[in-house]
Amino acid sequence: MADLRTDFVGITSPNPFWLASAPPTDKAYNVVRAFKAGWGGVVWKTLGLDPHCVNVNGPRYGVVYGADRRVLGLNNIELITDRPLDVNLREIKQVKRDWPDRAMVVSLMVPCDEESWRTILPLVEETGADGIELNFGCPHGMSERGMGSAVGQVPEYIEMVTRWCKQHSRMPVIVKLTPNITDIRYPARAAKAGGADAVSLINTVTSITSVNLDTFSPEPSIDGKGTHGGYCGPAVKPIALNMVAQIARDPETAGLPISGIGGVTTWRDAAEFIALGAGTVQVCTAAMTYGFRVVQEMTAGLSLWMDEQGHPDLAAIRGRAVPNVTDWQRLNLNYVTKARIDQDLCIKCGRCYAACEDTSHQAINMSPDRVFEVIDAECVACNLCVDVCPVENCITMERLPAGAVDPRTGLTVSDEHADWTTHPNNPSRCAAE
């Protein structure tokens, strides 16, 4: 079977699936159950210096559902641990002693001054933990106190605190980045400049998931009031993949180890993060939705796929997709496709026709007996019909071969690569922009 063992900045684990810093890693009871279920590691829920935080005694989560009531996104307003620091430290030490082969990383958040970090670091180091993760991403509650994303949105602060941690601890330092920023490359560069061993991303996205139209308060609602929280789950995965790819592609951070976070629910999600350069993946919402045993499906699925594809270990797929991520102007303008409808699979629902006729390029014809056919002269290959079709593989995109004439443009398809930077209709000022 494929080898799922992972060595991430010197932290080893039997597989790349770690539980992210969140309610599932709040205490020894949860973490032990997770390890028994097969998780390769955990990032212990964020610790701070006493006095510890006080969480609300009311709803802490809001949710966005799909049509089948499947959880697409989860919003939370929970703060860092509200358990005493000494209790957390004692439990971390015991769990690591009992499970030496599992990764034990501890998330930390303290005020943005050197003395606070100098105080907490040796306490965590004494537990035998494998590393620390600096929580520079929490967008609610703690950020109003000058911590969390309030630090993660200022590259200079990231570099400064990271440098303190490297000076005052021997443990590997992972910097957790916030997505609530214009360009993720700048905080990643700052983390690297400060000496970070790795970065993890994304933390949660600032959000209000819904408004109660009876009380007119945001959900989750506490005594008729609500606040923004942190959004996670499958809905944020595209954002996370893009940001991971940006860091992997950036010449200034290329080679910086990445722990991918954001909507990992299946083995396929994990494989996509790893293909974009992640060394491990962290999971929260899937575990909170389906329980800890979901990791067994993840590890089995990833291993089976790797065996089928002939990938002996994770190194064989790590970063494989990065060279194929490019800028828009580098895309091949001589690549021409057309939609094709398989009449044997078509159920005549008409969704492709409605979408194309009303909102796209009027490239699908509907006959009186509801037979749908593509009009090549109008089809721009936008893929919308494929996306809205409820039958898998009923509509596909077929590439026109070199030498064929595109009915829409009247131009002969070339097998040469042509991108916008060299296109004859591209003014130099547009290429520069």
Side-chain angles (χ1 to χ4, degrees):
M1 296 180 63
D3 186 358
L4 298 186
R5 289 178 298 177
T6 304
D7 186 328
F8 185 74
V9 298
I11 302 172
T12 59
S13 58
N15 63 64
F17 296 99
W18 295 2
L19 282 173
S21 169
T25 62
D26 184 47
K27 61 179 74 72
Y29 179 84
N30 302 64
V31 173
V32 169
R33 284 180 61 84
F35 285 164
K36 288 180 178 179
W39 291 88
V42 302
V43 182
W44 199 278
K45 184 174 170 64
T46 307
L47 307 184
L49 292 169
D50 286 336
H52 52 270
C53 291
V54 177
N55 274 293
V56 295
N57 290 308
R60 300 179 185 181
Y61 307 117
V63 68
V64 174
Y65 291 115
D68 58 356
R69 202 170 164 79
R70 182 172 301 179
V71 174
L72 299 181
L74 197 67
N75 166 291
N76 87 89
I77 60 170
E78 184 167 306
L79 304 182
I80 66 174
T81 186
D82 53 11
R83 304 171 70 236
L85 178 61
D86 63 326
V87 173
N88 277 296
L89 294 172
R90 185 168 61 249
E91 292 185 0
I92 292 168
K93 185 174 184 176
Q94 184 62 52
V95 173
K96 181 58 187 178
R97 183 180 300 158
D98 294 341
W99 297 83
D101 67 322
R102 308 302 171 94
M104 173 65 75
V105 176
V106 179
S107 177
L108 296 177
M109 182 192 295
V110 297
C112 198
D113 61 79
E114 186 173 4
E115 187 55 35
S116 294
W117 288 99
R118 191 202 305 265
T119 299
I120 199 169
L121 287 169
L123 301 178
V124 175
E125 193 166 299
E126 196 275 331
T127 66
D130 299 304
I132 56 173
E133 183 180 79
L134 311 187
N135 186 344
F136 293 158
C138 186
H140 56 275
M142 306 308 296
S143 57
E144 290 90 332
R145 311 178 193 192
M147 294 180 276
S149 64
V151 178
Q153 291 169 339
V154 184
E156 293 80 5
Y157 290 173
I158 294 174
E159 181 178 350
M160 176 179 66
V161 177
T162 303
R163 185 169 285 113
W164 291 339
C165 292
K166 291 299 296 181
Q167 289 174 349
H168 301 303
S169 175
R170 297 188 300 272
M171 295 178 290
V173 175
I174 304 169
V175 175
K176 191 172 187 179
L177 303 178
T178 176
N180 304 298
I181 195 165
T182 305
D183 192 331
I184 196 67
R185 294 174 298 178
Y186 292 104
R189 291 170 184 172
K192 184 176 181 180
D197 297 280
V199 292
S200 59
L201 67 151
I202 59 174
N203 208 308
T204 52
V205 180
T206 304
S207 65
I208 293 177
T209 51
S210 61
V211 173
N212 186 311
L213 294 181
D214 292 322
T215 62
F216 292 98
S217 63
E219 298 283 8
S221 180
I222 305 296
D223 194 23
K225 301 290 184 181
T227 185
H228 70 274
Y231 193 53
C232 57
V236 309
K237 175 189 159 189
I239 300 170
L241 287 176
N242 177 59
M243 291 188 169
V244 166
Q246 284 183 293
I247 294 173
R249 291 180 61 214
D250 183 10
E252 296 190 35
T253 54
L256 181 65
I258 299 170
S259 185
I261 314 170
V264 176
T265 308
T266 68
W267 69 264
R268 186 178 296 274
D269 299 327
E272 292 174 9
F273 273 96
I274 295 168
L276 285 173
T280 65
V281 292
Q282 296 185 33
V283 181
C284 173
T285 305
M288 294 179 72
T289 305
Y290 304 111
F292 285 151
R293 286 193 175 184
V294 70
V295 73
Q296 296 169 12
E297 297 179 13
M298 294 178 177
T299 53
L302 181 60
S303 180
L304 179 61
W305 171 75
M306 290 173 63
D307 285 341
E308 291 175 345
Q309 298 297 317
H311 303 306
D313 52 32
L314 294 173
I317 63 172
R318 187 175 302 116
R320 286 280 292 274
V322 176
N324 295 325
V325 182
T326 189
D327 298 323
W328 187 96
Q329 62 266 29
R330 301 292 182 185
L331 297 176
N332 184 6
L333 299 183
N334 281 335
Y335 182 87
V336 181
T337 60
K338 299 293 179 182
R340 296 288 179 258
I341 300 175
D342 186 330
Q343 298 301 333
D344 293 332
L345 293 176
C346 181
I347 61 174
K348 303 184 186 304
C349 66
R351 287 175 63 177
C352 62
Y353 173 79
C356 188
E357 190 72 13
D358 289 350
T359 68
S360 195
H361 295 274
Q362 298 76 52
I364 296 179
N365 178 65
M366 180 177 68
S367 70
D369 57 346
R370 295 183 69 83
V371 173
F372 301 94
E373 295 181 314
V374 176
I375 307 169
D376 282 1
E378 302 298 334
C379 180
V380 300
C382 69
N383 208 56
L384 179 61
C385 57
V386 177
D387 293 336
V388 302
C389 180
V391 180
E392 189 174 5
N393 297 322
C394 177
I395 307 178
T396 55
M397 304 305 295
E398 180 180 294
R399 183 178 185 179
L400 297 186
V405 176
D406 183 351
R408 187 178 71 87
T409 64
L411 300 176
T412 301
V413 178
S414 172
D415 60 359
E416 296 180 359
H417 181 97
D419 60 46
W420 186 240
T421 61
T422 59
H423 196 277
N425 294 334
N426 177 30
S428 58
R429 61 180 178 83
C430 291
E433 292 173 1

